[in-house]
Amino acid sequence: MENRYMTVKDRGIAEIVEKRSRFIATVIPIENEAQALEFLDSMRRKYWDATHNVYAYITRENNIERYSDDGEPSGTAGVPVLDMLKKEGLTNIAVVVTRYFGGTLLGTGGLVHAYSKSAKAGVEAAGRLEMILCDELNIECDYALLGRIQNELHKWETIDGYTDYSDKVKLSLYTPCGDTDRIVAGLIDATNSNIKTSVGIRDYFPSPV
């Protein structure tokens, strides 16, 4: 299992015009193929009157890669969109590029350029996001040790969870799974073993950067 992967933050929409043809790219993050297919169906309904609804998607689940030229000459639409996603290192992503024909043929090279360019503009509109496989790290300590713990944690890449101030300080945060053991060791050393730690769930979380 990969510890990190790149996807997009949210839905993004971008439009370009090439020789009066409109290319509208819609991009979303997905978790599986079922979500991709649902998205494709919704785009076809939304742009039912379009000349073409070209798509490409990639999922980490089952390592699926799919595309469609949707009536454009073979290899001029879906493939360029898929290739762009792969070159950008993106996964768990679905893209639909909707075309309204403007009356002028673009040719093979023109189509490849237009579909790739519009899809990339859609990705930029959605915003890139790094997902990191993290462990939930729970810490319990006396108030007097909180400063030492915070100083130690500042040395590492972590994702904030919550802090509970009661009779003891209880912190919950997320640490990249490859660093968890070293972070715990550093905390124990910094506090002379006067803390309690436990590791909970392991899942992907958005990078704080």
Side-chain angles (χ1 to χ4, degrees):
M1 180 182 290
E2 294 180 3
N3 290 346
R4 297 170 183 257
Y5 68 89
M6 293 296 297
T7 185
V8 287
K9 295 179 182 178
D10 207 342
R11 179 182 290 257
I13 301 174
E15 179 177 339
I16 69 168
V17 177
E18 295 284 345
K19 296 183 179 179
R20 295 184 296 179
S21 279
R22 294 173 60 208
F23 293 84
I24 306 166
T26 307
V27 180
I28 66 165
I30 57 171
E31 294 293 330
N32 50 53
E33 187 170 31
Q35 291 179 3
L37 295 176
E38 181 180 351
F39 168 61
L40 299 181
D41 186 56
S42 70
M43 290 294 97
R44 289 179 181 128
R45 292 197 306 270
K46 179 177 180 179
Y47 297 111
W48 61 271
D49 60 341
T51 315
H52 305 280
N53 281 300
V54 168
Y55 70 79
Y57 61 85
I58 303 174
T59 69
R60 297 181 70 255
E61 184 177 276
N62 299 322
N63 296 313
I64 294 172
E65 297 179 0
R66 299 278 189 271
Y67 69 89
S68 171
D69 294 314
D70 193 35
E72 293 281 29
S74 178
T76 64
V79 170
V81 174
L82 181 64
D83 284 347
M84 184 278 299
L85 297 179
K86 293 166 70 173
K87 288 176 183 177
E88 295 289 324
L90 297 166
T91 188
N92 277 14
I93 184 172
V95 180
V96 172
V97 180
T98 301
R99 182 188 184 188
Y100 286 92
F101 182 56
T104 302
L105 296 176
L106 299 182
T108 300
L111 287 172
V112 170
H113 172 76
Y115 277 105
S116 179
K117 179 180 176 181
S118 57
K120 188 167 184 178
V123 168
E124 296 297 333
R128 289 172 176 77
L129 177 68
E130 182 181 37
M131 299 293 290
I132 306 173
L133 185 61
C134 293
D135 293 318
E136 178 188 39
L137 177 59
N138 302 299
I139 304 167
E140 182 178 316
C141 68
D142 291 328
Y143 279 80
L145 296 174
L146 182 58
R148 296 188 199 178
I149 290 172
Q150 291 173 332
N151 287 338
E152 181 63 27
L153 291 176
H154 285 157
K155 300 175 183 178
W156 300 90
E157 177 186 31
T158 63
I159 299 170
D160 292 338
Y162 70 87
T163 303
D164 177 43
Y165 298 97
S166 53
D167 56 324
K168 299 272 190 178
V169 180
K170 297 178 181 178
L171 301 91
S172 177
L173 60 147
Y174 302 97
T175 59
C177 60
D179 295 337
T180 302
D181 289 344
R182 288 178 293 169
I183 291 173
V184 170
L187 291 170
I188 289 173
D189 183 62
T191 61
N192 296 317
S193 301
N194 288 312
I195 60 169
K196 294 180 181 178
T197 63
S198 64
V199 178
I201 63 168
R202 175 171 288 187
D203 203 351
Y204 284 93
F205 293 88
S207 168
V209 179

